[in-house]
Amino acid sequence: MNEHEHTESTGAMQQVRKHQFATFLIVAILVALFLVYIALSLYHSSGTFQLDLSRPGFAKAREDITRERQVFEGYSKDGQINAAALKEFNQLYSQELKDATAIDAFSGEALTDASLQIPTN
Amino acid sequence: MKLLTRKRLLIVAVAVASLLFVVPNSHAEVIITQRQTKAIRTHCVENQASLNQLHQSDAFLRIDRGNLYRTISDKLMTPLNTRLAANKLDGGALISITKEFNDQYKRFYANYITYDTALAKLLNVDCTKEPVRFYNALLDTREARQQLGESNDALVQLIRDYKNQFDDFYVAYMESQ
């Protein structure tokens, strides 16, 4: 390090010491921005973004979800296995099976050329 | 000698740089007819509106189906498997279907992300100004939706398989009593 560089770095150090509070604020803001960047990257890359109905424009979907929400206790993992226990499971499972097969979710129909009024050629 | 080495270096650098600029495309751009272009432009506003609506209803559907599939796995399949094991009964086939179901759910989860990203891209294309780009984005979205639909169908099939396997178990258990 030559004399000129040494004088410059000493000057910079003096400036930092002189404005300690401002330096602290700038560093704190930079750290906060970096952490926000990491959080948003995780929010996007994990797929949480796609499942977040609190985004603007999803008010209708949000209402539907709230309306449909109900508590389902499920089947107990403890206890004996006998005819009554198996019957209980059968009843619970059949109800969910009915829900699962009730609709043809994500069918290709919605994005066909015909549905968007585009001729095939 | 030195000049030759420099030339070689330059050739290698150009080759590497040109490789970097070759961006792989998901599929070759489809050329559309004038009739299709006109139809895309004519129905642009209503198509954008219906795609927006589809985006919203799909988000609801994804949450709804996701909750249902997690409920079936976490609150029905897994507890029964655990209970059978605790009672020293053979539930091997049921466990294997549950495992397959959970693996398939991960695929469903990932496929929805791909589909939603494709649909969001499609919604960002101005179909009046860029009908060809719109149609190509539509093809990508359609393909992503097809994969999502297939993974959803596979999950529903595994739910049915579990029920059939349970029915077999039930019959065998009742006969053994």
Side-chain angles (χ1 to χ4, degrees), chain B residues 42-166:
Chain B
T42 311
H43 302 291
C44 182
V45 178
E46 50 187 302
N47 280 345
Q48 288 285 16
S50 61
L51 287 172
N52 252 317
Q53 210 171 2
L54 181 74
H55 196 204
Q56 283 211 20
S57 60
D58 278 347
F60 166 71
L61 193 59
R62 164 64 185 86
I63 304 266
D64 179 63
R65 295 291 97 179
N67 283 343
L68 177 67
Y69 299 150
R70 289 287 11 123
T71 298
I72 290 173
S73 173
D74 299 344
K75 293 188 173 178
L76 290 170
M77 289 178 173
T78 306
L80 179 71
N81 296 344
T82 311
R83 199 155 159 174
L84 290 178
N87 283 274
K88 294 185 173 63
L89 291 163
D90 180 22
L94 293 168
I95 291 169
S96 131
I97 294 172
T98 307
K99 192 192 169 299
E100 211 179 317
F101 183 83
N102 288 332
D103 291 343
Q104 190 60 46
Y105 182 81
K106 282 179 196 156
R107 258 169 256 146
F108 170 74
Y109 189 100
N111 284 343
Y112 180 78
I113 293 171
T114 311
Y115 166 68
D116 190 73
T117 309
L119 185 55
K121 267 187 194 166
L122 175 65
L123 285 167
N124 279 329
V125 179
D126 186 341
C127 37
T128 319
K129 286 179 186 162
E130 299 175 288
V132 178
R133 213 177 127 219
F134 175 84
Y135 196 72
N136 279 288
L138 173 67
L139 292 181
D140 285 342
T141 314
R142 198 180 281 166
E143 198 181 311
R145 189 180 174 88
Q146 194 190 336
Q147 282 185 356
L148 175 65
E150 280 169 11
S151 57
N152 182 71
D153 292 347
L155 280 171
V156 174
Q157 187 52 49
L158 285 164
I159 294 169
R160 283 200 190 98
D161 290 348
Y162 192 91
K163 176 73 169 75
N164 293 337
Q165 196 59 47
F166 171 78

Side-chain angles (χ1 to χ4, degrees), chain B residues 1-11:
Chain B
M1 189 70 182
K2 228 179 183 181
L3 193 72
L4 199 70
T5 322
R6 270 191 189 170
K7 252 187 180 174
R8 271 186 193 163
L9 269 174
L10 189 72
I11 291 168

Side-chain angles (χ1 to χ4, degrees), chain A residues 73-100:
Chain A
E73 293 298 332
Y75 188 67
S76 171
K77 65 181 170 56
D78 303 311
Q80 280 199 325
I81 288 288
N82 51 35
L86 292 176
K87 243 181 194 169
E88 184 202 348
F89 178 83
N90 191 33
Q91 206 178 353
L92 291 170
Y93 195 89
S94 297
Q95 184 55 48
E96 298 302 305
L97 174 67
K98 205 173 147 192
D99 281 357

